């Protein structure tokens, strides 16, 4: 198991990014429109951390891991079979792969498929 993308949704993007930069030596780039305006930082293993503001008034702060999978459709079916609610069915982001979001045990998580 490997986390490909760790998404942090917060109303104070600048403070969160600044804290990570000062405490971990991270560097966040400019907002990426393809990732909801998230400022991203690539980690040494190729994993990505993205920090963005809520996209709608009802979106609350959350830390959401996106697990790297080989077959996103199969992974989504597996979590559904175990009682998960699929909040976002697999969707492609051009040049970045496919992602999906599910909720299980009140925890939001996701899958990411690169190819």
């Amino acid at each position: 198991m490997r986390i490909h993308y760790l998404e942090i949704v917060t109303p104070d993007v600048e403070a969160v990014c600044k804290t990570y930069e000062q405490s971990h030596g991270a560097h966040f780039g400019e907002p990426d429109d393809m990732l909801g305006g998230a400022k991203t930082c690539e980690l040494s293993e190729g994993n990505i951390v993205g920090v963005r503001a809520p996209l709608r008034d009802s979106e609350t702060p959350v830390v959401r891991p996106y697990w790297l999978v080989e077959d996103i459709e199969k992974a989504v079916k597996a979590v559904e079979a175990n009682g998960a609610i699929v909040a976002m069915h697999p969707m492609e982001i051009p040049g970045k792969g496919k992602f999906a979001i599910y909720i299980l045990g009140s925890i939001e998580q996701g899958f990411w498929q690169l190819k």
Side-chain angles (χ1 to χ4, degrees):
M1 277 180 31
R2 177 178 162 202
I3 294 175
H4 174 68
Y5 184 62
L6 184 65
E7 181 176 47
I8 300 168
V9 178
T10 175
D12 199 347
V13 171
E14 294 306 318
V16 171
C17 290
K18 183 177 180 179
T19 298
Y20 287 145
E21 288 175 341
Q22 291 176 346
S23 62
H24 298 287
H27 173 73
F28 287 84
E30 294 300 312
D32 185 334
D33 290 338
M34 300 297 283
L35 296 173
K39 294 180 84 171
T40 61
C41 172
E42 187 170 333
L43 305 178
S44 60
E45 301 85 22
N47 312 55
I48 301 166
V49 175
V51 182
R52 68 167 175 83
L55 296 175
R56 60 188 187 288
D57 290 339
S58 61
E59 186 174 27
T60 58
V62 66
V63 176
R64 184 183 297 125
Y66 288 82
W67 301 96
L68 189 61
V69 294
E70 292 291 323
D71 185 337
I72 198 165
E73 301 290 342
K74 181 179 176 182
V76 167
K77 286 178 184 174
V79 296
E80 278 184 303
N82 284 290
I85 297 168
V86 178
M88 176 69 72
H89 288 275
M91 181 174 139
E92 186 163 351
I93 299 177
K96 298 187 183 293
K98 290 182 180 179
F99 79 97
I101 299 172
Y102 64 94
I103 303 167
L104 184 61
S106 300
I107 303 296
E108 291 187 24
Q109 300 181 62
F111 292 123
W112 206 286
Q113 180 180 320
L114 294 175
K115 295 180 181 184

